Amino acid sequence: MWHVLLLNGPNLNLLGTREPDIYGRETLDHIVQRTCDYARSQGIELRHVQSNHEGALIDALHEARAWADGVIINAGAYTHTSIALRDAISAIQLPTIEVHLSNIYAREPFRHISLIAPVCVGCISGFGAESYLLAIHAMSLILAKQAGGDPAE
Ligand code: DQA
């Protein structure tokens, strides 16, 4: 099994009721459950952290150095503002995938800039909750390639 940190940033705890026209009606708990189930089928054990606080997200990234093989992150609005998150991702040297429910490039110009994109392997944006499942698929490809085979037990 590979171990991956799933990190969700500010306001994502409100999914289900938050601007459903943009983010859908599915709650974060439900999305995380579906993502964990799919991850397991791909040989990935997910650990989920959601926080509205930049420092807590950075702490979770630092702690991941000790146990994780990769990171999937929806940094919410911190995507567009946080040099500190970018530096943390860069520092921990784990393959990291950026995820967004909405297509950030089809929205307001301030969302077109991602400060974390240059330190991530890639970005999946615009597929609603399915963005997380696509990220799991991408992560399994990255980890399998890195290991040159199947997940170790
Ligand atoms: C988001 C996009 C961000 O611009 C926004 O601030 C969010 C959610 C998304 O998943 O579409 O909080 O990351």
Side-chain angles (χ1 to χ4, degrees):
M1 272 286 187
W2 286 301
H3 297 96
V4 169
L5 172 64
L6 174 61
L7 200 50
N8 277 296
N11 300 308
L12 293 165
N13 55 310
L14 300 182
L15 287 177
T17 55
R18 175 193 182 195
E19 299 178 90
D21 291 351
I22 298 173
Y23 299 115
R25 294 198 178 276
E26 195 172 350
T27 63
L28 182 62
D29 278 353
H30 200 261
I31 292 171
V32 169
Q33 191 53 57
R34 284 208 296 133
T35 308
C36 285
D37 289 348
Y38 179 60
R40 212 163 294 122
S41 78
Q42 301 300 301
I44 294 174
E45 193 71 45
L46 278 187
R47 220 181 273 182
H48 177 237
V49 174
Q50 187 278 326
S51 178
N52 295 320
H53 305 279
E54 192 176 16
L57 297 168
I58 292 167
D59 288 343
L61 286 166
H62 291 181
E63 283 159 22
R65 271 182 314 175
W67 63 269
D69 300 300
V71 177
I72 294 171
I73 181 169
N74 183 347
Y78 288 139
T79 304
H80 319 296
T81 63
S82 179
I83 296 170
L85 258 187
R86 173 204 167 110
D87 284 352
I89 293 167
S90 181
I92 62 172
Q93 295 281 296
L94 292 172
T96 299
I97 298 175
E98 175 184 358
V99 163
H100 301 283
L101 295 130
S102 63
N103 177 355
I104 57 173
Y105 301 102
R107 300 183 63 194
E108 303 93 325
F110 65 83
R111 293 186 207 275
H112 298 179
I113 305 286
S114 167
L115 297 186
I116 68 171
V119 291
C120 290
V121 179
C123 173
I124 298 169
S125 175
F127 299 93
E130 311 309 313
S131 290
Y132 290 91
L133 304 186
L134 292 167
I136 295 294
H137 180 61
M139 184 60 76
S140 70
L141 296 177
I142 291 165
L143 295 176
K145 193 170 171 195
Q146 206 173 269
D150 288 329
E153 281 307 316

